[in-house]
Amino acid sequence: MKLKYLPLISILALASCDDYLDVKPMGKLIPTQVEEFENILNNTNTLDFHFMDNNRGNFYAMLGDNLEISENQAAFNYISSNPNIECYAAYTFYLPYQNPLTDQYTWSWGVYRAVGLLNNVVEGIEGLEGGAESEYGKQVIAQAKAARAWSYMVGGLGYGPMYDPNGENNVRTIPYRTSASPLEPNPDLATTAQLFDYLQQDLDAALNAPDNVANPCRANKAAVYALRAEMYMYKRDWDNMLESATEAWNRAVSNNGGVDNLIYDYNQFYYEEDPSASPSPGTDVEVGLELKGPDPDFDKSYSRENLFYRVSPTGYTTTTFYPSEDFLSLFDKENDLRYKLFMLKTLGYSTTEGDVKYDDGIRVVYFRGNKTLMNEGITYPILLLMKAEAEARTNDLSSALNDLNLLRKYRYSNTINTDLPGGESMSADELLYEILKERRREQPINSYQRVFDIKRYVFDSGKPWSQTEIVHKIGEKTYSAPIDNEHYTLPLSNVVIEYNPQWGLEPNDIYYDPTSNK
């Protein structure tokens, strides 16, 4: 008889502490104090591998419109032996994107490895005499529940549809498991409606979080309010989104001594010159230079811009993808410092087959994720834009424009007036569109975030930011998929289905070969 639990769901029971604890226990295996359970929250496995593969790419981002694959990359890099062939599968809308016969990093290395640790923290402290009643215990449980809510929100919206405020939301997504015991069977798959009910419960409890934390991988109270704003954003509950985003922003400004301590002014960034640098002809020397800023922390998890830090896909090489033309067109190439600092010309993908060299030549590549540390959680700029979006959607256009212009002051060249041109005369839709474009510029180019936005914008039918399908090109060949269907809802792997027969799901016996889509 098979035990009905998820692989790695109870980390402390299934693996050695040396594998999973950053702070190693001295002569103890089972934590017996709140402090020892708190140490588990310092583990990188609570914030890593969500929608990532083992080489730190992100197949889910390939469903969006930020990236493109060249003909040479498709022909010679994305072959059947490529260890991350699911990136090509997603780009060409080959279902299922991941091999159903193998374990999925998204599931067991991301969502459920994280919540396995977090559930141990919650249940462990609740099992200590007086642990859950102490102020210290409440704060640690709150931080664990905030992290758990984020992990389940990301997982649920990847494996399920977007929340429909006018629908029943009865599609089953993922199990919202809160037990730490590997002997406890998994609950039923939560519907989208149930998922958001559980998220609400966890984030309500998470309001016991402390006002300040040493590192933003742990949630403070401002981060919890920001997570609530994000939850309401996905529910399209604009009033509550605004209330939570405003509370989060005001707390952040107060806690950190002003906006200058929350957002980097890119006018203060520069590349350190290297007289010995010898870039390839036609490429930018900055590709190989070191970026300098007002402090040395902009590439650290505790960067001043990080409110709730979660690992983002790493910087990439030209063997994987390039920025799409649609993404490149977002930027004011003369004045947007994100473009001037990070959109650099470099040698593209090339390979030699026999006597023939296949070469993409010089390509523009977005190096922001290589030069700085991108955050897949919530940054202060993203929080400010969530606040601005909620203001625009509730028709407070003056406040929305002020917030947008506040961010632009830090991102655009100070040789010009950084305020949005014509912003004061824009309609609500026009201003909202500018806010959403700014949001896209601020997100990591290759994370799940843009794809989730594409899914939620479906409900803004007829608006310029709303799309009904995504079209990808490789040379002259096109691949397309409608957004509001199974192409944007991930299936569970056979590994998980077979361990959970109570869900009534049928394994997928497809012969997995995304290269047949060429």
Side-chain angles (χ1 to χ4, degrees):
M1 178 180 177
K2 293 180 179 178
L3 290 175
K4 302 173 185 176
Y5 64 89
L6 293 170
L8 300 175
I9 194 61
S10 187
I11 305 300
L12 296 180
L14 298 179
S16 73
C17 293
D18 283 348
D19 288 337
Y20 293 102
L21 288 179
D22 290 335
V23 181
K24 308 298 188 298
M26 300 299 293
K28 292 183 180 180
L29 181 62
I30 305 300
T32 58
Q33 301 177 39
V34 174
E35 290 88 345
E36 293 170 327
F37 282 106
E38 183 190 15
N39 284 336
I40 298 175
L41 296 183
N42 298 328
N43 192 291
T44 58
N45 290 329
T46 64
L47 49 104
D48 209 347
F49 276 113
H50 290 77
F51 292 110
M52 278 182 261
D53 55 48
N54 198 29
N55 290 328
R56 312 314 294 271
N58 186 344
F59 80 95
Y60 198 76
M62 306 301 288
L63 298 174
D65 52 5
N66 283 349
L67 313 172
E68 70 175 38
I69 292 174
S70 72
E71 289 182 276
N72 288 329
Q73 289 169 328
F76 303 110
N77 182 50
Y78 287 109
I79 57 178
S80 58
S81 60
N82 188 302
N84 304 312
I85 194 65
E86 64 266 24
C87 292
Y88 180 82
Y91 189 78
T92 58
F93 300 112
Y94 173 93
L95 291 174
Y97 304 129
Q98 297 175 292
N99 189 341
L101 303 180
T102 61
D103 198 13
Q104 296 175 354
Y105 271 84
T106 300
W107 182 273
S108 61
W109 283 69
V111 175
Y112 281 96
R113 183 167 64 168
V115 298
L117 288 165
L118 299 169
N119 288 343
N120 271 286
V121 173
V122 174
E123 282 198 349
I125 295 176
E126 289 176 343
L128 298 177
E129 184 176 355
E133 287 72 44
S134 70
E135 188 63 25
Y136 180 28
K138 288 178 181 178
Q139 290 183 352
V140 176
I141 289 174
Q143 292 179 314
K145 288 189 174 182
R148 184 170 73 184
W150 178 85
S151 193
Y152 276 135
M153 181 162 59
V154 171
L157 292 178
Y159 283 89
M162 190 55 61
Y163 186 92
D164 182 352
N166 298 311
E168 295 182 356
N169 297 296
N170 57 4
V171 175
R172 297 195 301 166
T173 60
I174 61 176
Y176 205 101
R177 183 182 178 92
T178 58
S179 173
S181 171
L183 302 180
E184 181 74 23
N186 282 311
D188 197 5
L189 299 172
T191 65
T192 302
Q194 291 169 335
L195 174 75
F196 276 87
D197 286 343
Y198 295 143
L199 293 174
Q200 180 84 58
Q201 292 171 23
D202 268 351
L203 291 176
D204 283 348
L207 288 175
N208 285 317
D211 289 325
N212 296 289
V213 293
N215 189 297
C217 69
R218 305 267 291 274
N220 63 9
K221 195 162 291 188
V224 173
Y225 277 107
L227 288 169
R228 291 165 68 90
E230 190 170 61
M231 176 191 68
Y232 289 126
M233 177 188 74
Y234 289 129
K235 290 187 72 173
R236 302 179 67 82
D237 183 344
W238 311 125
D239 289 327
N240 277 316
M241 176 186 176
L242 176 57
E243 181 180 351
S244 290
T246 301
E247 182 70 22
W249 179 255
N250 290 342
R251 284 177 175 273
V253 172
S254 176
N255 288 347
N256 293 279
V259 180
D260 286 348
N261 295 323
L262 302 179
I263 305 177
Y264 284 111
D265 183 352
Y266 276 180
N267 287 280
Q268 299 177 18
F269 281 69
Y270 63 95
Y271 285 99
E272 186 172 56
E273 294 184 7
D274 180 0
S276 64
S278 54
S280 300
T283 64
D284 288 325
V285 66
E286 289 84 359
V287 172
L289 298 183
E290 184 177 358
L291 183 67
K292 296 291 186 177
D295 65 39
D297 299 334
F298 59 83
D299 61 350
K300 307 292 192 303
S301 64
Y302 46 86
S303 155
R304 73 173 66 169
E305 293 196 349
N306 288 339
L307 171 58
F308 185 68
Y309 176 71
R310 289 297 179 266
V311 175
S312 184
T314 56
Y316 58 93
T317 67
T318 54
T319 61
T320 50
F321 56 77
Y322 302 112
S324 68
E325 288 301 319
D326 189 56
F327 185 74
L328 291 170
S329 69
L330 282 173
F331 294 86
D332 176 346
K333 296 177 175 57
E334 296 301 318
N335 298 302
D336 190 327
L337 296 176
R338 288 163 296 197
Y339 190 94
K340 294 178 74 69
L341 285 169
F342 306 122
M343 207 69 80
L344 304 176
K345 296 189 293 292
T346 189
L347 295 178
Y349 176 79
S350 67
T351 188
T352 300
E353 297 287 327
D355 296 329
V356 180
K357 183 176 183 179
Y358 299 88
D359 193 344
D360 285 347
I362 296 173
R363 297 293 298 254
V364 173
V365 171
Y366 197 42
F367 280 88
R368 189 177 179 189
N370 304 67
K371 302 291 188 177
T372 68
L373 186 72
M374 299 302 290
N375 180 358
E376 201 164 45
I378 299 178
T379 64
Y380 291 112
I382 288 294
L383 170 60
L384 184 59
L385 291 170
M386 284 200 294
K387 181 171 176 283
E389 178 181 347
E391 288 162 342
R393 288 188 183 270
T394 56
N395 211 36
D396 185 356
L397 302 189
S398 176
S399 296
L401 180 60
N402 287 340
D403 285 340
L404 177 59
N405 283 338
L406 177 58
L407 178 60
R408 288 175 61 92
K409 182 182 78 169
Y410 294 92
R411 292 300 190 243
Y412 289 78
S413 172
N414 57 17
T415 61
I416 63 166
N417 179 359
T418 60
D419 287 353
L420 178 67
E424 293 182 353
S425 61
M426 287 183 175
S427 67
D429 278 356
E430 289 171 336
L431 179 57
L432 178 55
Y433 192 21
E434 294 298 325
I435 292 168
L436 298 181
K437 285 190 286 188
E438 201 67 56
R439 174 179 167 85
R440 186 178 173 191
R441 295 182 193 106
E442 274 301 310
Q443 293 169 336
I445 184 176
N446 56 330
S447 85
Y448 72 88
Q449 293 170 322
R450 173 59 183 168
V451 181
F452 281 8
D453 279 350
I454 289 172
K455 289 174 68 169
R456 72 184 178 97
Y457 295 158
V458 165
F459 298 111
D460 292 318
S461 179
K463 305 298 184 184
W465 58 86
S466 178
Q467 304 173 75
T468 57
E469 71 172 359
I470 295 296
V471 178
H472 294 154
K473 294 187 68 176
I474 299 178
E476 296 302 315
K477 190 169 184 180
T478 62
Y479 304 84
S480 63
I483 295 167
D484 196 18
N485 76 348
E486 72 272 14
H487 285 91
Y488 286 83
T489 300
L490 301 178
L492 302 182
S493 73
N494 290 358
V495 177
V496 175
I497 291 174
E498 289 170 356
Y499 271 104
N500 294 275
Q502 73 275 20
W503 294 341
L505 301 178
E506 291 296 326
N508 190 333
D509 59 359
I510 187 175
Y511 175 69
Y512 182 75
D513 181 17
T515 61
S516 65
N517 221 11
K518 293 183 179 180

